[in-house]
Amino acid sequence: MRNTFLALFLIGGLTSFGQVYLDPNASIDDRVENLLSQMTLEEKIGQMTQAERGSIGGQGDSIKQYYLGSILSAGGSSPGTTVASWIEMYNTFQAQAMDTRLGIPLIYGIDAVHGNNNLFGAVIFPHNIGLGCTRNAELVEECARITALEVAATGMDWTFSPCLAVPRNERWGRTYEGFGESPDLVATMAEASVLGYQSDSLGNENSILACAKHFVADGGTQNGSDQGNAVISETELRNIHLFPYYDAIEQNVGSVMASFSSWNGDKCHGNGYLLTDVLKNEMGFEGFVISDWMGINQLGDFKSAIAQSINAGIDMAMQPNDYIDFITHLTALVNEETVSMSRIDDAVRRILRIKFQLGLFEDPYVDNSLADTIGCVSHRNVARQAVRESLVLLKNNGVLPLSKDGTRVVVAGSKADDIGVQCGGWSISWQGSSGDITPGTTIKEAVEEVVGSENVSYTASTSIPSGDVAVVVVGEFPYAEGAGDIPYGDDRFYISNSDQQIIDAVQSAGIPMVVVLLSGRPIMLEYLIDDADAMVAAWLPGTEGNGITDVLFGDYDFTGKLSHTWPRDEDMVPINEGDGSNDPLFAYGFGLDYSATAVSEIAQYEPGNAFRVYPNPVAENLYIDNESGNVIDVSLTSLAGELIAQFDRTNSNSIQIPMNELPKGIYLVTIRKGNGITTFKIIKD
Ligand code: GLC
């Protein structure tokens, strides 16, 4: 009935004043002002309130009663395992909102942080720590674009992503939610993610609202403690943790989530300098700021906390279960003028502007045509590419690439056949869990697809079958947020005893060993790296385990580069590029590949005219002529970085590397010159 009435007005061009906000041809600002001018305080505060789906009743009666502006699904909070159950829930709640006096549609938010990870059957991408290793912004944008599709298919309008944390201490349980330790890398991937979620206009079909989080310096707390205190200068805060937000704002990110953490003892949720002076006024952020899960409550007495946080610049409050108390207190605060009506109006303007930009007033209900795209092959193929490009080769003595033809592969370790472990936290449930949590391909299944199940022997114990090569999968069980923090003295920085026992058993069996590490952060490998013939950091790859075998069997080369400096031991943590520390196990940006130049193929190698490298076919040695005189020294190392030989420049002009004394394999030659370093790989075949 109401739409017909509206249609008659619009057709007749007779948009009365009170209806301007319903006119899609009116400017966004006119629509916002027209609507705001008609809203009661109750309706305004309702727009600033977000409740959790589980606390508003099955039919969402509270939405209409309290004019709620937003609903969220907490991690793992689902109406069911079918798309239909999500669509029915969303439309039921939206109908409540549309049935209010002014018919202001809901905006529904969810943590779709690596795919629509709440939804059974959706494709789950690598977590951000792995996406950072791809260094491929276009790919990250495509992953976000697909996520937006699979989110919109369920009706959700908003994802609490991308996480713009710059994790500086790997003790933090949310390290994997960040793209890496480099502000530049995070900024690049933040921009790509926002573009993927929102496209270049929120009004475009299937665009969803992005949310840059958690503002600010969530990744800079002391000892990496979650929701802790970042004791850093403003210069460090700006140069490292604020830096990525410029790119997200440049890309018109429509929402920002405040961080639970503190800066020099001040909770971000109540910090007006950060939320208003810096984010809104200095950086020009025009979207709205949402609090984190009862983050306002952490400021102290609830009513005072509400006053402090709203006046500081929080525009929408994530109050999953105590939204009625929030509404009551904020109403009282406005009536007693502790919170001004102009602050309320500013918050509501920001929220309404996004809702108009999203087109929610014209198109409030779910587009059912997207349901078939969820988990489809084309989406999974993009995720498979993201897995491939996220892998980082840390060591390879030549055992990789594996041969497909008749190779008998031992696949060892329970994590090799566990989608839940592959996906990590924020997967179907908030904390994630091991087991068959959603459709996908485990590493074991992927190996079977390549060599045939008849050539695969799987073991989750230390009883090791015979085989030509072993793929041993070790790493971390799923966790999220503070549950993943590693306090001092905790041994979770090291692989578990059960994982180590399997490695020892494979080594005792004398089978060449490829170790695949599934983890949300660099963990301590110094004693493991020697045991392995090859070592691959696979991070938390998600549902498409065949992205791993694509590279292990050589269909694709490794391209991933570390998004974190890899500490040699836990006493080195925190260790980050450019912080003056040295001698990590692997540097930020490290990553090997299969390409190398055979010694016999090195002819007149003159990478910079500083020297000439050429083989001595007869003696199988490698000569390095220091013709320019500025070679300082030459080192020969294994791919893992173990030093094999070091040649300081003597008076003689040529350095001879005795290749004939070395076993076959791939080696690194590093030539230090007065003006830099040249490294190249050689194969002794
Ligand atoms: C959590 C997280 C935040 C998430 C929110 C909603 O506590 O800190 O990243 O978006 O609550 O689930």
Side-chain angles (χ1 to χ4, degrees), residues 171-177 224 226 479-482 484-486 521:
R171 290 184 177 281
W172 190 31
R174 306 193 76 166
T175 296
Y176 67 79
E177 294 188 58
D226 188 44
Y479 53 80
E481 302 193 44
D485 281 6
I486 303 182
R521 60 189 130 205

Side-chain angles (χ1 to χ4, degrees), residues 144-171:
R145 188 88 219 93
I146 289 169
T147 299
L149 276 175
E150 299 205 5
V151 165
T154 59
M156 306 295 110
D157 315 293
W158 179 18
T159 178
F160 303 130
S161 179
C163 179
L164 268 55
V166 185
R168 305 289 285 179
N169 187 316
E170 288 81 13
R171 290 184 177 281

Side-chain angles (χ1 to χ4, degrees), residues 227-248:
Q227 306 188 17
N229 187 21
V231 182
I232 55 177
S233 68
E234 180 156 357
T235 301
E236 184 174 339
L237 179 122
R238 286 178 175 272
N239 292 347
I240 294 178
H241 303 286
L242 195 66
F243 184 81
Y245 284 85
Y246 284 96
D247 294 76

Side-chain angles (χ1 to χ4, degrees), residues 374-681:
I374 291 172
C376 66
V377 170
S378 64
H379 289 180
R380 291 185 185 276
N381 285 340
V382 173
R384 183 169 176 169
Q385 176 191 348
V387 172
R388 288 196 294 266
E389 296 190 22
S390 65
L391 304 177
V392 180
L393 180 61
L394 300 175
K395 174 182 181 181
N396 180 28
N397 67 2
V399 70
L400 291 176
L402 301 177
S403 165
K404 293 180 182 180
D405 304 326
T407 304
R408 295 176 303 135
V409 184
V410 173
V411 175
S414 64
K415 300 179 179 77
D417 195 28
D418 192 319
I419 279 289
V421 167
Q422 272 175 220
C423 292
W426 298 101
S427 303
I428 306 301
S429 66
W430 173 43
Q431 289 292 316
S433 65
S434 61
D436 195 13
I437 62 169
T438 193
T441 306
T442 66
I443 295 170
K444 167 181 168 284
E445 292 163 345
V447 175
E448 288 174 339
E449 284 178 17
V450 175
V451 298
S453 54
E454 67 281 5
N455 287 314
V456 174
S457 304
Y458 169 65
T459 176
S461 74
T462 54
S463 164
I464 307 301
S466 63
D468 302 319
V469 67
V471 174
V472 184
V473 181
V474 299
E476 295 185 301
F477 284 109
Y479 53 80
E481 302 193 44
D485 281 6
I486 303 182
Y488 281 94
D490 186 306
D491 63 2
R492 279 180 292 165
F493 250 141
Y494 302 85
I495 63 163
S496 65
N497 291 334
S498 56
D499 281 348
Q500 186 61 54
Q501 286 161 7
I502 289 184
I503 285 168
D504 295 344
V506 170
Q507 202 171 23
S508 302
I511 303 174
M513 176 167 34
V514 178
V515 176
V516 176
L517 176 65
L518 297 178
S519 66
R521 60 189 130 205
I523 60 174
M524 303 309 143
L525 293 179
E526 190 162 26
Y527 304 107
L528 173 56
I529 200 91
D530 295 335
D531 299 340
D533 296 288
M535 169 72 73
V536 177
W539 313 111
L540 298 172
T543 50
E544 308 314 302
N546 29 37
I548 294 173
T549 47
D550 286 345
V551 183
L552 294 188
F553 285 89
D555 289 341
Y556 293 82
D557 198 353
F558 286 94
T559 56
K561 303 298 178 194
L562 287 181
S563 55
H564 280 267
T565 304
W566 204 292
R568 190 172 291 280
D569 58 52
E570 64 176 301
D571 296 335
M572 274 193 174
V573 179
I575 179 172
N576 296 290
E577 183 200 25
D579 67 1
S581 51
N582 54 22
D583 191 32
L585 188 59
F586 299 107
Y588 173 85
F590 180 88
L592 301 172
D593 55 37
Y594 289 140
S595 66
T597 308
V599 173
S600 56
E601 293 162 16
I602 289 180
Q604 314 307 322
Y605 185 90
E606 298 187 29
N609 304 321
F611 52 84
R612 192 157 58 90
V613 177
Y614 55 96
N616 175 334
V618 174
E620 284 193 346
N621 290 345
L622 202 59
Y623 280 106
I624 296 171
D625 270 357
N626 176 25
E627 293 180 339
S628 68
N630 76 341
V631 169
I632 298 168
D633 62 29
V634 175
S635 57
L636 182 73
T637 63
S638 71
L639 278 178
E642 290 110 348
L643 184 63
I644 295 170
Q646 174 90 32
F647 306 87
D648 293 326
R649 187 167 72 83
T650 60
N651 295 329
S652 75
N653 273 336
S654 77
I655 292 169
Q656 191 171 174
I657 299 178
M659 298 303 294
N660 56 328
E661 298 168 11
L662 296 171
K664 78 162 194 166
I666 302 175
Y667 299 87
L668 287 179
V669 175
T670 301
I671 300 171
R672 277 191 330 129
K673 304 159 288 176
N675 61 348
I677 288 179
T678 295
T679 296
F680 57 96
K681 287 182 281 294

